[in-house]
Amino acid sequence: MSTTKAPAKLETIRALLAKAEDPRTPESEAELARKRAFEMMAKYGVEQAMLNDANPASDAPTDRQIVLDNPWAMERVRLINRIALALGCQLIHLGRDGSGPARRVHIFGYASDLQRVELLYTSLLLQMNSGLAAQSVPAGQGARAWRRSWLLGFINRVGDRIEEAERGAREEARGETTATGRSAALVLADRKAVVSRNYQQAYPRSRKGGTTTMTGNGYGAGWMAGSRADIGGKRIGRTTAGSISA
């Protein structure tokens, strides 16, 4: 495990999240802390990209293979995929990890963005699992189908929220330029192109997944839980021995 100290801004984000999660914090203060942490996370991504334009060695493109365990391994794949795409990364699902139910994914992105993916995924996974455990399946519903639809509602809502925050941060930085004189929009577009190129070089025959279907009626309840979800965390899953790092 790496012992590298996290950037000060990420530590501030974690402190805000800890305050929001503390049961002794009044709900009004907790909500303000969550909102601030979410905004800071998105702004941090743009700031790192702008700094990297003048100092390329500060934030190199990299990749990581991760194993996502049960329960609900496929839903975990969907959660991390929504987060990764929102944060400028690309992910491919490589299927089962061996003969068990766990799933393996391979994520491409800049190091700072992968760090953000890790922070968000771990926290949201914990919230998703605890939120689902607190649900009572309505009478007459198939338990597994209802729970799965709840998970999909949660995942789609938190994915939308992350995308909204990222768009807001990019819009706020529209008029800014780096030390090299390039605009934020151009810097972010170039990073996206680098990540896409690395992904395509590794998986030239990759294709998009199929349409997700569901039979349960828990989607709305999951969507509402996703609207209340916080962000944060430290670990992402089981990083495999065969992981690749640039």
Side-chain angles (χ1 to χ4, degrees), residues 2-11 13-14 17 41 44-45 48 58-60 62-64 66 80 83-84 87-89 107-123 191 231-236:
S2 171
T3 58
T4 302
K5 181 175 176 60
K9 183 159 288 187
L10 287 184
E11 293 298 339
I13 291 168
R14 287 188 177 124
L17 295 172
M41 179 67 76
Y44 174 77
Q48 288 300 112
S58 67
D59 192 18
T62 186
D63 61 285
R64 189 178 307 167
I66 298 161
I80 198 170
I83 296 169
L87 302 189
C89 302
I107 311 176
F108 294 77
Y110 277 76
S112 65
D113 292 328
L114 287 178
Q115 189 174 31
R116 293 195 301 144
V117 170
E118 181 176 350
L119 188 65
L120 283 167
Y121 171 76
T122 306
S123 179
R191 283 167 70 95
I231 58 173
K234 295 180 181 179
R235 291 184 61 86
I236 193 168

Side-chain angles (χ1 to χ4, degrees), residues 201-246:
Q201 287 176 348
Y203 299 101
R205 298 182 180 178
S206 65
R207 34 178 202 175
K208 293 184 178 180
T211 303
T212 300
T213 59
M214 61 183 177
T215 56
N217 296 320
Y219 186 93
W223 193 93
M224 290 300 296
S227 296
R228 299 188 295 271
D230 196 0
I231 58 173
K234 295 180 181 179
R235 291 184 61 86
I236 193 168
R238 286 195 285 125
T239 303
T240 66
S243 297
I244 302 169
S245 180

Side-chain angles (χ1 to χ4, degrees), residues 69-241:
D69 292 315
N70 253 0
W72 306 104
M74 273 305 301
E75 282 60 48
R76 295 185 185 204
V77 171
R78 292 187 175 92
L79 174 63
I80 198 170
N81 186 53
R82 282 298 304 266
I83 296 169
L85 290 176
L87 302 189
C89 302
Q90 289 201 31
L91 176 149
I92 186 168
H93 174 215
L94 299 177
R96 293 184 183 275
D97 182 55
S99 59
R103 301 280 172 162
R104 182 190 295 266
V105 298
H106 196 170
I107 311 176
F108 294 77
Y110 277 76
S112 65
D113 292 328
L114 287 178
Q115 189 174 31
R116 293 195 301 144
V117 170
E118 181 176 350
L119 188 65
L120 283 167
Y121 171 76
T122 306
S123 179
L124 289 173
L125 176 63
L126 291 172
Q127 292 176 68
M128 185 173 78
N129 288 343
S130 62
L132 181 63
Q135 301 302 307
S136 297
V137 179
Q141 294 282 324
R144 181 170 178 81
W146 191 92
R147 290 183 177 122
R148 181 171 180 271
S149 63
W150 186 97
L151 290 170
L152 293 175
F154 179 96
I155 291 165
N156 284 342
R157 180 52 183 152
V158 296
D160 289 346
R161 289 179 62 197
I162 295 167
E163 290 172 1
E164 290 164 5
E166 293 295 310
R167 284 196 299 269
R170 291 194 297 268
E171 181 67 24
E172 188 173 328
R174 176 185 287 184
E176 297 180 11
T177 58
T178 70
T180 63
R182 301 205 309 154
S183 69
L186 182 57
V187 169
L188 293 171
D190 283 352
R191 283 167 70 95
K192 183 176 181 179
V194 169
V195 172
S196 180
R197 183 176 64 249
N198 291 346
Y199 174 89
Q200 290 297 328
Q201 287 176 348
Y203 299 101
R205 298 182 180 178
S206 65
R207 34 178 202 175
K208 293 184 178 180
T211 303
T212 300
T213 59
M214 61 183 177
T215 56
N217 296 320
Y219 186 93
W223 193 93
M224 290 300 296
S227 296
R228 299 188 295 271
D230 196 0
I231 58 173
K234 295 180 181 179
R235 291 184 61 86
I236 193 168
R238 286 195 285 125
T239 303
T240 66

